Amino acid sequence: MTSPAARVPRHIAIIMDGNGRWAQQRHRPRIIGHRAGARAVKSCVEFCLDNGVQALTLFAFSSENWNRPSDEVGGLMKLFLGALEREVDELHRLGARLRFIGERARFAPEILARMQAAESLTAGNARLQLSIAASYGGRQDIAQAARALAEEVAAGRLRADQIDESAISARVALADLPPPDLFIRTGGELRISNFLLWQLAYTELWFTDTLWPDVDAATLRRALDDYAGRERRFGLTSAQVAGHATGGTT
Ligand code: IPE
Ligand code: IPE
Ligand code: MG
């Protein structure tokens, strides 16, 4: 029998979508929605800590989001910097290890410095692995892994026939974490939008119409309850999976 703890996802990955529509519904500028979204991040982190989720990966800004109107991008960068200034100490106190995945070279030096400082400060924490995907794209992630492998082959440290799935897994983002067990997208869209393409291969997907700023513990509880009822087969038959759970053979 599976213990209740085994039914809690170890790693949750979330596309936090719907901030703009949340603001539009209130006839406010989009940036107000992003601000409200930042508040929802805090309650989501608290939920994970309270429920024994070990890793949380949040899609905050995609590679493609750089192409939004410059005032929105500028507003988001300000918000990002403000959150780094205000929230990191508290996250450290709570035992979260903070990391950033994505193309960091595109950020302004002051943001970059804050990101690095947050990572060093929290490097020894183990209660929650909190990864923020910022300027992140799944295709870009796979491309940089391919480039790294090509460089190793060119340098003679690796043979082409040694490139297998585990070699790629080791070079994409979040390589040291178990892949996400549960993917959540808020805001009603049914797509992955270039999030963790490699890492989501066998992740359970859960979608809700709730806009990200409205997400609370009750929303996340529904996602976890739904996840707890899923049977993850990884290509096996249901009977095989049941056999594994009881320690029997099939
Ligand atoms: C998600 O909310 C946050 C970012 C992409 C930065 P959106 O800004 O995409 O909100 P909608 O989808 O327009 O409502
Ligand atoms: C995905 O949301 C990126 C983030 C939530 C950071 P988007 O709003 O950018 O995705 P699309 O454009 O609806 O696919
Ligand atoms: Mg959106």
Side-chain angles (χ1 to χ4, degrees):
M1 215 176 83
T2 316
S3 70
R7 289 296 194 180
V8 174
R10 283 171 307 177
H11 183 176
I12 303 180
I14 307 184
I15 298 187
M16 311 184 288
D17 196 23
N19 295 349
R21 280 163 285 163
W22 187 92
Q24 269 156 12
Q25 284 175 359
R26 287 159 181 77
H27 309 286
R28 305 295 306 278
R30 292 176 60 87
I31 195 67
I32 299 293
H34 294 311
R35 249 179 245 158
R39 288 194 292 275
V41 169
K42 283 177 91 168
S43 59
C44 178
V45 167
E46 279 160 22
F47 178 89
C48 288
L49 288 164
D50 290 348
N51 286 276
V53 174
Q54 293 162 25
L56 173 65
T57 300
L58 298 173
F59 205 2
F61 191 81
S62 74
S63 312
E64 292 73 25
N65 291 150
W66 288 110
N67 300 323
R68 288 193 179 189
S70 61
D71 63 333
E72 180 165 348
V73 173
L76 280 164
M77 291 304 132
K78 252 193 181 156
L79 190 64
F80 197 27
L81 183 61
L84 284 164
E85 285 165 359
R86 280 190 309 274
E87 309 297 344
V88 170
D89 286 343
E90 172 70 357
L91 288 167
H92 180 47
R93 198 184 60 75
L94 292 170
R97 177 177 185 184
L98 200 54
R99 279 185 292 181
F100 299 90
I101 61 169
E103 266 191 295
R104 356 183 136 197
R106 298 188 71 174
F107 288 104
E110 53 193 333
I111 294 182
L112 208 59
R114 288 271 174 187
M115 283 159 78
Q116 278 157 357
E119 286 180 334
S120 324
L121 176 70
T122 62
N125 295 340
R127 245 187 107 199
L128 178 69
Q129 303 290 320
L130 178 58
S131 307
I132 309 293
S135 188
Y136 177 86
R139 287 178 170 176
Q140 191 275 331
D141 191 4
I142 294 170
Q144 66 74 31
R147 202 180 315 123
L149 287 163
E151 282 166 7
E152 287 173 58
V153 171
R157 293 194 302 273
L158 192 73
R159 292 194 319 271
D161 65 6
Q162 289 173 312
I163 298 176
D164 55 10
E165 290 180 23
S166 68
I168 297 172
S169 292
R171 287 162 184 84
V172 292
L174 311 177
D176 61 325
L177 298 178
D181 298 303
L182 175 63
F183 160 99
I184 295 174
R185 181 170 188 147
T186 67
E189 312 295 353
L190 306 179
R191 54 180 173 253
I192 292 182
S193 299
N194 201 17
F195 197 22
L196 304 160
L197 299 178
W198 179 270
Q199 299 86 338
L200 292 175
Y202 263 107
T203 303
E204 295 296 325
L205 308 180
W206 193 81
F207 298 90
T208 176
D209 287 337
T210 304
L211 303 174
W212 175 253
D214 290 328
V215 166
D216 57 11
T219 320
L220 298 169
R221 170 52 50 204
R222 277 193 285 135
L224 257 62
D225 286 349
D226 197 341
Y227 172 83
R230 306 255 184 117
E231 181 184 63
R232 303 185 72 187
R233 288 194 288 278
F234 299 97
L236 304 182
T237 66
S238 198
Q240 283 177 301
V241 174
H244 282 298
T246 56
T249 49
T250 44

